[in-house]
Amino acid sequence: MRRPKRRARRLIGWLVLAGVAGGLLWGAASSVCDAGDTAGLCGWDQIERVEVRGTVRLDADQVRAWAAVPLGTPLWTAEGEKIAARLEGRPWIKAVTVTKRFPDTVVIEVAERVPAAVAANDRGRVLVDADGLVIGPTTLTHGFPVIVGASASRPEGLRLGARILKGFLAANVSLAPIDSLVIDVTNPDDPQAELPGAMRVRLGRGEFAEKWRRVQAIADNATDRMPSPRAVDLRFPDRAVVTAWDRAL
């Protein structure tokens, strides 16, 4: 019964000795390197390459510049969390993973943000992603739905506009191409949308996919009975109000 215990104590002893020996060897190697690598044994684990993966719109060299990984330093000193922190929040970057590849490479895997809409105001236009986060300035005037009444200084409006667009996609309606939508979130309590074909929708609050389905049903039923332009008011939970829309207003 005592032999397993003796073996365990011996194993622990060997592990301790191995750890001490490893530390002594590392210290000795460090001293040799500090004193001068006359034998050419040092520097085998220094960072020589920073590999960037996953970029589509971003330039890999720009990512390397943001990451600021010092070449020529030991690979073991590269701190992935700090490198990722220098990249997170940069234009186009949604997520970052940093790994070290023995013996001399840091690998940066980038997930880029995907443009979903353009936010426009009197100061210019910016691209935003599906979560309503600003990617960066743009000069595009078509190709994306437009959110008005919000900006980087009014991020809650951008998030609201993004939720309305997500609802439109989730509803799978045939009202109009999504890149023709104009979402007005100037008043967050009364968001509105304008569609081609002379229809304006007051969406109000609630589950936007269901509201878009109601708009589709109204459009299907009112086409022949009410001339354009039409205004659809969905601010009320139990009914929809359809009226003529005077564009002059």
Side-chain angles (χ1 to χ4, degrees), residues 26-38 40-46:
W26 180 265
S30 298
S31 298
V32 169
C33 292
D34 291 340
D37 184 16
T38 58
L41 299 176
C42 303
W44 59 273
D45 66 339
Q46 290 182 351

Side-chain angles (χ1 to χ4, degrees), residues 214-215 218 231-243:
R214 291 172 66 190
V215 174
I218 292 168
V232 179
D233 193 340
L234 297 179
R235 291 176 297 167
F236 313 102
D238 56 347
R239 67 183 186 277
V241 179
V242 182
T243 58

Side-chain angles (χ1 to χ4, degrees), residues 28-64:
S30 298
S31 298
V32 169
C33 292
D34 291 340
D37 184 16
T38 58
L41 299 176
C42 303
W44 59 273
D45 66 339
Q46 290 182 351
I47 300 171
E48 294 185 5
R49 285 180 292 277
V50 177
E51 185 177 321
V52 178
R53 302 175 180 174
T55 55
V56 178
R57 298 173 179 85
L58 279 172
D59 180 71
D61 287 336
Q62 178 64 77
V63 175
R64 291 188 187 93

Side-chain angles (χ1 to χ4, degrees), residues 56-87:
V56 178
R57 298 173 179 85
L58 279 172
D59 180 71
D61 287 336
Q62 178 64 77
V63 175
R64 291 188 187 93
W66 287 336
V69 178
L71 299 179
T73 58
L75 183 65
W76 64 269
T77 63
E79 298 184 61
E81 291 183 358
K82 290 185 177 180
I83 295 171
R86 290 195 287 270
L87 292 170

